[in-house]
Amino acid sequence: EERERWLGRARVRPSVVQGGCSLVEVDQEIRNFVRTGRLLIISYEQIRTHASELDDSIDLLVCDEGHRLKSSAGLTTKRLAALRCKRRLLLTGTPLQNNLDEFHCCVSFVQPRLLPPLPTFQRVFKAPIDRSHDASASAQEVALGRARSAELSQITSGVILRRGPELLETLLPPRTEILATVLLTRRQALAYLAFCDAVRRSKQTVDAHGGSLHLGVLGFMRQLCNVDPEHLVAGGGGGEDDAEISKGAEQTALQ
């Protein structure tokens, strides 16, 4: 559908390898692409499996949902990075700069020699930039982090193209948001109040853990607003670290 929308129905006829294709169909589509060299639409899992057959047959490799290639240790990243092709294009709607190790991996995938090796990158860029965001950073550390961030942006500006949502405003239908407010049932309200009271009584326990268990408390409260208390199980509000503080309060609320 996307191909027809942007290129027209007759301009390019793609070979498509997707879930549900038999081995014979997959083999036939890949052979067609290698022979014609037109357009191949294939999943990450399939191209990882058939990378050797496609090696040196691709002029332009376009990776949608490119943040899936954020780990240099991942098998898919390794196989695609080893795939010989003339050009690589990575598309993602996920902010890569939130994790500089992932940013390094994705940039190095499309331009392998643009950034220094990961240990050097971490020392020169990642460490000072991360440190500058810390509340206890000195003015000198903040200045160094900003300088390294500006330098990194300048280095990668030639391979990164950013586009905001305004680009699609003329192509997408108007967005409609509806906020529906629904009152809690009596049992939900009673359980919610009982849980809040139990958490207040256990405040010293929460503080002893440095507040790291608040997400578990919030998680259980969110579930309590969405599900009847009869269907909840204590300990389901968060991860393993959250269970210790909230288990007693959850049991109290559910009882």
Side-chain angles (χ1 to χ4, degrees):
E1 292 179 1
E2 289 293 321
R3 187 264 307 176
E4 291 183 6
R5 176 185 178 92
W6 299 107
L7 300 178
R9 179 168 297 182
R11 186 173 176 182
V12 177
R13 295 186 180 277
S15 301
V16 180
V17 176
Q18 56 188 350
C21 291
S22 66
L23 293 177
V24 175
E25 291 173 328
V26 170
D27 185 60
Q28 180 180 353
E29 293 291 349
I30 290 178
R31 284 204 312 269
N32 289 340
F33 169 75
V34 172
R35 185 178 68 255
T36 62
R38 301 298 294 276
L39 174 63
L40 174 66
I41 301 175
I42 189 170
S43 68
Y44 280 107
E45 290 71 23
Q46 290 285 7
I47 194 173
R48 185 178 66 195
T49 302
H50 300 279
S52 59
E53 302 165 55
L54 295 167
D55 191 34
D56 207 22
S57 299
I58 300 175
D59 289 330
L60 173 61
L61 176 64
V62 181
C63 300
D64 196 14
E65 302 293 336
H67 50 271
R68 291 187 56 176
L69 305 177
K70 62 187 180 181
S71 172
S72 58
L75 180 58
T76 300
T77 305
K78 289 181 178 179
R79 294 300 296 270
L80 291 184
L83 194 65
R84 288 179 293 175
C85 61
K86 296 180 180 179
R87 302 171 186 85
R88 294 172 181 165
L89 179 62
L90 189 151
L91 309 175
T92 180
T94 301
L96 297 175
Q97 291 87 337
N98 291 349
N99 186 311
L100 288 177
D101 287 341
E102 296 175 0
F103 178 76
H104 178 276
C105 181
C106 291
V107 171
S108 297
F109 177 78
V110 296
Q111 192 69 273
R113 289 173 292 278
L114 183 65
L115 296 177
L118 183 58
T120 304
F121 175 83
Q122 290 174 328
R123 184 180 71 253
V124 175
F125 292 103
K126 184 176 187 294
I129 292 175
D130 287 348
R131 177 58 187 164
S132 69
H133 295 156
D134 194 284
S136 62
S138 65
Q140 184 178 5
E141 289 172 328
V142 171
L144 176 61
R146 289 176 177 173
R148 293 292 166 84
S149 180
E151 181 183 356
L152 183 59
S153 296
Q154 192 278 326
I155 292 173
T156 58
S157 61
V159 298
I160 295 180
L161 181 63
R162 293 182 177 88
R163 288 291 182 264
E166 63 278 357
L167 183 68
L168 299 176
E169 287 180 355
T170 59
L171 303 174
L172 297 177
R175 178 175 177 178
T176 302
E177 294 187 9
I178 300 176
L179 176 62
T181 302
V182 181
L183 295 177
L184 298 178
T185 64
R186 185 174 184 276
R187 288 203 299 180
Q188 283 178 306
L190 291 174
Y192 187 94
L193 292 174
F195 181 69
C196 291
D197 185 58
V199 170
R200 290 192 200 97
R201 291 198 303 269
S202 63
K203 185 175 185 300
Q204 291 183 345
T205 307
V206 175
D207 291 341
H209 288 80
S212 62
L213 303 173
H214 289 162
L215 289 178
V217 173
L218 292 174
F220 182 77
M221 293 171 76
R222 184 176 64 250
Q223 290 187 54
L224 195 57
C225 292
N226 294 328
V227 182
D228 189 282
E230 182 180 350
H231 302 298
L232 288 180
V233 178
E240 295 179 0
D241 294 337
D242 303 325
E244 182 179 346
I245 175 63
S246 59
K247 186 180 298 181
E250 293 172 15
Q251 290 284 8
T252 300
L254 296 180
Q255 289 171 0

